Amino acid sequence: MLLDVGSLAVMGVTLGAVLGTAAKLLAVPTNPIEEELQNLLPGSQCGQCGFVGCAQYAAALAKGDTPVTLCAPGGAATIEALAKKLGVHADLDGHEEKGPEVAFINEDLCIGCLRCIGECGSDAIVGAPKQMHTVISDACHACGKCFKICPTEAIEMRPIPMTISAWHWQKPGESAHH
Ligand code: SF4
Ligand code: SF4
Protein backbone atom coordinates (compact mmCIF):
# COMPACT_ATOMS: atom_id res chain seq x y z
CA MET A 1 0.00 0.00 0.00
CA LEU A 2 2.73 2.48 1.02
CA LEU A 3 4.70 1.47 -2.10
CA ASP A 4 1.67 2.25 -4.29
CA VAL A 5 1.14 5.64 -2.66
CA GLY A 6 4.87 6.39 -2.86
CA SER A 7 5.16 5.50 -6.56
CA LEU A 8 2.04 7.54 -7.33
CA ALA A 9 3.53 10.53 -5.51
CA VAL A 10 6.81 10.20 -7.41
CA MET A 11 4.93 9.94 -10.73
CA GLY A 12 2.89 13.02 -9.85
CA VAL A 13 5.96 15.09 -8.94
CA THR A 14 7.81 13.95 -12.07
CA LEU A 15 4.89 14.72 -14.38
CA GLY A 16 4.42 18.11 -12.71
CA ALA A 17 8.11 18.91 -13.22
CA VAL A 18 7.96 17.84 -16.89
CA LEU A 19 4.84 19.92 -17.57
CA GLY A 20 6.27 22.93 -15.75
CA THR A 21 9.50 22.77 -17.76
CA ALA A 22 7.59 22.27 -21.02
CA ALA A 23 5.37 25.28 -20.26
CA LYS A 24 8.47 27.41 -19.73
CA LEU A 25 10.30 26.09 -22.82
CA LEU A 26 7.31 26.22 -25.15
CA ALA A 27 5.94 29.54 -23.91
CA VAL A 28 5.27 31.91 -26.80
CA PRO A 29 6.87 35.25 -25.96
CA THR A 30 4.19 37.94 -26.09
CA ASN A 31 4.63 41.68 -26.14
CA PRO A 32 3.50 42.83 -22.66
CA ILE A 33 1.55 45.76 -24.14
CA GLU A 34 -0.49 43.33 -26.26
CA GLU A 35 -2.68 42.29 -23.32
CA GLU A 36 -3.17 45.89 -22.23
CA LEU A 37 -4.26 46.82 -25.77
CA GLN A 38 -6.59 43.83 -25.94
CA ASN A 39 -8.19 44.93 -22.68
CA LEU A 40 -9.05 48.27 -24.31
CA LEU A 41 -10.93 46.55 -27.15
CA PRO A 42 -14.66 45.59 -26.92
CA GLY A 43 -13.91 41.86 -27.13
CA SER A 44 -16.81 41.17 -29.49
CA GLN A 45 -14.54 39.27 -31.91
CA CYS A 46 -16.63 40.71 -34.77
CA GLY A 47 -13.79 41.03 -37.29
CA GLN A 48 -14.86 44.49 -38.50
CA CYS A 49 -11.24 45.63 -38.05
CA GLY A 50 -10.22 43.15 -40.74
CA PHE A 51 -8.46 40.86 -38.25
CA VAL A 52 -9.79 37.48 -37.10
CA GLY A 53 -10.48 38.79 -33.60
CA CYS A 54 -9.49 41.35 -30.96
CA ALA A 55 -6.33 39.47 -29.91
CA GLN A 56 -4.98 39.52 -33.47
CA TYR A 57 -5.74 43.24 -33.84
CA ALA A 58 -4.03 43.92 -30.47
CA ALA A 59 -0.95 41.92 -31.60
CA ALA A 60 -0.71 43.94 -34.85
CA LEU A 61 -1.15 47.21 -32.92
CA ALA A 62 1.62 46.21 -30.50
CA LYS A 63 3.93 45.66 -33.50
CA GLY A 64 2.89 49.02 -34.94
CA ASP A 65 1.67 47.26 -38.08
CA THR A 66 -1.82 48.78 -38.14
CA PRO A 67 -3.64 52.03 -37.29
CA VAL A 68 -5.62 52.51 -34.07
CA THR A 69 -8.76 53.52 -36.02
CA LEU A 70 -10.02 50.10 -37.24
CA CYS A 71 -12.27 49.02 -34.36
CA ALA A 72 -15.75 50.22 -35.47
CA PRO A 73 -17.74 48.93 -32.44
CA GLY A 74 -15.16 50.51 -30.11
CA GLY A 75 -15.76 53.96 -31.53
CA ALA A 76 -13.83 57.18 -30.81
CA ALA A 77 -13.33 56.33 -27.12
CA THR A 78 -11.47 53.11 -27.98
CA ILE A 79 -9.41 54.83 -30.71
CA GLU A 80 -8.31 57.50 -28.21
CA ALA A 81 -7.54 54.93 -25.53
CA LEU A 82 -5.43 52.85 -27.94
CA ALA A 83 -3.60 55.93 -29.23
CA LYS A 84 -2.88 57.06 -25.64
CA LYS A 85 -1.53 53.63 -24.73
CA LEU A 86 0.71 53.56 -27.82
CA GLY A 87 1.68 57.23 -27.58
CA VAL A 88 0.50 57.94 -31.11
CA HIS A 89 -1.87 60.53 -32.60
CA ALA A 90 -5.54 59.45 -32.76
CA ASP A 91 -6.60 60.57 -36.23
CA LEU A 92 -10.37 60.92 -35.91
CA ASP A 93 -10.79 62.84 -39.17
CA GLY A 94 -13.44 61.07 -41.18
CA HIS A 95 -14.23 58.81 -38.25
CA GLU A 96 -17.98 58.15 -38.16
CA GLU A 97 -19.18 57.33 -34.65
CA LYS A 98 -21.76 54.57 -34.84
CA GLY A 99 -24.00 54.09 -31.79
CA PRO A 100 -24.81 50.56 -30.62
CA GLU A 101 -26.73 48.54 -33.24
CA VAL A 102 -28.44 45.16 -33.52
CA ALA A 103 -29.35 43.00 -36.51
CA PHE A 104 -33.05 42.61 -37.31
CA ILE A 105 -34.59 40.20 -39.84
CA ASN A 106 -37.70 41.24 -41.75
CA GLU A 107 -39.43 37.87 -41.65
CA ASP A 108 -41.59 38.63 -44.70
CA LEU A 109 -38.44 38.94 -46.82
CA CYS A 110 -36.62 35.95 -45.36
CA ILE A 111 -36.51 32.84 -47.61
CA GLY A 112 -34.82 30.62 -45.01
CA CYS A 113 -31.61 30.13 -47.00
CA LEU A 114 -29.50 29.65 -43.80
CA ARG A 115 -26.66 31.87 -45.10
CA CYS A 116 -26.86 34.28 -42.18
CA ILE A 117 -26.74 31.47 -39.61
CA GLY A 118 -23.52 30.21 -41.16
CA GLU A 119 -22.03 33.71 -41.03
CA CYS A 120 -22.94 34.55 -37.44
CA GLY A 121 -20.00 34.01 -35.07
CA SER A 122 -22.08 34.36 -31.90
CA ASP A 123 -24.98 32.01 -32.73
CA ALA A 124 -27.39 34.95 -32.55
CA ILE A 125 -29.62 33.76 -35.40
CA VAL A 126 -32.16 30.94 -35.21
CA GLY A 127 -34.11 29.42 -38.08
CA ALA A 128 -34.60 26.30 -40.20
CA PRO A 129 -34.27 25.55 -43.94
CA LYS A 130 -36.93 27.41 -45.93
CA GLN A 131 -38.35 28.76 -42.64
CA MET A 132 -38.18 32.32 -41.37
CA HIS A 133 -35.12 33.24 -39.32
CA THR A 134 -34.85 35.63 -36.41
CA VAL A 135 -32.11 37.32 -34.39
CA ILE A 136 -31.62 36.84 -30.63
CA SER A 137 -30.71 40.47 -30.01
CA ASP A 138 -28.93 39.82 -26.69
CA ALA A 139 -26.46 37.53 -28.49
CA CYS A 140 -25.86 39.87 -31.45
CA HIS A 141 -22.67 41.99 -31.34
CA ALA A 142 -23.53 43.92 -34.50
CA CYS A 143 -20.67 42.69 -36.68
CA GLY A 144 -22.89 43.16 -39.72
CA LYS A 145 -21.75 39.94 -41.44
CA CYS A 146 -25.30 38.61 -41.81
CA PHE A 147 -26.44 41.96 -43.20
CA LYS A 148 -23.78 41.75 -45.93
CA ILE A 149 -24.61 38.16 -46.94
CA CYS A 150 -28.43 38.13 -47.01
CA PRO A 151 -29.52 37.64 -50.66
CA THR A 152 -32.99 39.15 -50.11
CA GLU A 153 -31.87 42.15 -48.04
CA ALA A 154 -34.12 40.89 -45.27
CA ILE A 155 -31.63 42.02 -42.63
CA GLU A 156 -31.19 45.55 -41.36
CA MET A 157 -28.81 46.89 -38.73
CA ARG A 158 -31.01 48.85 -36.34
CA PRO A 159 -29.69 51.40 -33.82
CA ILE A 160 -30.35 50.35 -30.22
CA PRO A 161 -32.31 53.17 -28.58
CA MET A 162 -30.58 54.48 -25.43
CA THR A 163 -32.88 53.67 -22.49
CA ILE A 164 -32.53 54.70 -18.86
CA SER A 165 -31.66 51.06 -18.02
CA ALA A 166 -28.98 50.86 -20.75
CA TRP A 167 -27.43 54.28 -19.95
CA HIS A 168 -24.57 54.39 -17.44
CA TRP A 169 -22.16 57.05 -16.26
CA GLN A 170 -18.76 56.28 -17.78
CA LYS A 171 -15.91 55.92 -15.31
CA PRO A 172 -12.88 58.20 -16.05
CA GLY A 173 -10.63 56.47 -18.66
CA GLU A 174 -13.34 53.85 -19.33
CA SER A 175 -13.88 53.09 -23.02
CA ALA A 176 -17.49 53.10 -24.24
CA HIS A 177 -17.55 49.29 -24.22
CA HIS A 178 -16.39 48.17 -20.79
S1 SF4 B 1 -29.66 35.20 -45.17
FE1 SF4 B 1 -31.50 36.43 -45.29
S2 SF4 B 1 -32.93 35.23 -46.48
FE2 SF4 B 1 -31.31 33.85 -45.81
S3 SF4 B 1 -32.08 32.96 -43.94
FE3 SF4 B 1 -30.89 34.75 -43.38
S4 SF4 B 1 -32.34 36.41 -43.25
FE4 SF4 B 1 -33.32 34.76 -44.34
S1 SF4 C 1 -24.78 41.25 -36.88
FE1 SF4 C 1 -25.63 39.31 -37.64
S2 SF4 C 1 -23.86 37.99 -37.89
FE2 SF4 C 1 -23.24 39.68 -36.56
S3 SF4 C 1 -23.57 38.96 -34.47
FE3 SF4 C 1 -25.42 40.05 -35.10
S4 SF4 C 1 -26.77 38.48 -35.92
FE4 SF4 C 1 -24.71 37.61 -35.85
Side-chain angles (χ1 to χ4, degrees):
M1 175 72 172
L2 272 180
L3 189 60
D4 296 344
V5 173
S7 48
L8 270 178
V10 169
M11 265 171 56
V13 170
T14 317
L15 270 179
V18 168
L19 287 174
T21 316
K24 276 208 175 68
L25 293 176
L26 301 174
V28 180
T30 56
N31 183 334
I33 199 174
E34 237 177 79
E35 204 176 322
E36 292 170 38
L37 290 167
Q38 196 179 339
N39 291 340
L40 294 173
L41 295 170
S44 53
Q45 316 300 339
C46 66
Q48 290 183 66
C49 56
F51 291 88
V52 178
C54 303
Q56 290 72 17
Y57 182 37
L61 282 167
K63 284 192 223 128
D65 290 352
T66 191
V68 293
T69 51
L70 300 183
C71 177
T78 298
I79 293 171
E80 283 160 352
L82 293 171
K84 191 170 166 214
K85 180 63 69 183
L86 290 166
V88 298
H89 169 63
D91 180 7
L92 290 171
D93 292 347
H95 169 73
E96 193 205 324
E97 189 73 6
K98 272 200 319 182
E101 290 182 326
V102 68
F104 174 80
I105 297 179
N106 288 312
E107 288 147 11
D108 305 338
L109 298 175
C110 173
I111 55 172
C113 70
L114 297 176
R115 286 189 210 166
C116 52
I117 286 188
E119 220 29 50
C120 181
S122 63
D123 297 330
I125 302 175
V126 288
K130 297 203 166 44
Q131 304 296 317
M132 122 213 128
H133 286 42
T134 196
V135 175
I136 305 162
S137 39
D138 288 351
C140 171
H141 55 231
C143 68
K145 289 180 184 167
C146 58
F147 168 75
K148 291 182 190 129
I149 205 166
C150 177
T152 63
E153 297 180 0
I155 303 177
E156 53 186 286
M157 299 307 294
R158 287 186 171 178
I160 299 176
M162 182 52 74
T163 60
I164 196 74
S165 56
W167 186 84
H168 76 281
W169 201 286
Q170 272 185 342
K171 298 189 204 76
E174 179 189 35
S175 97
H177 292 279
H178 278 81

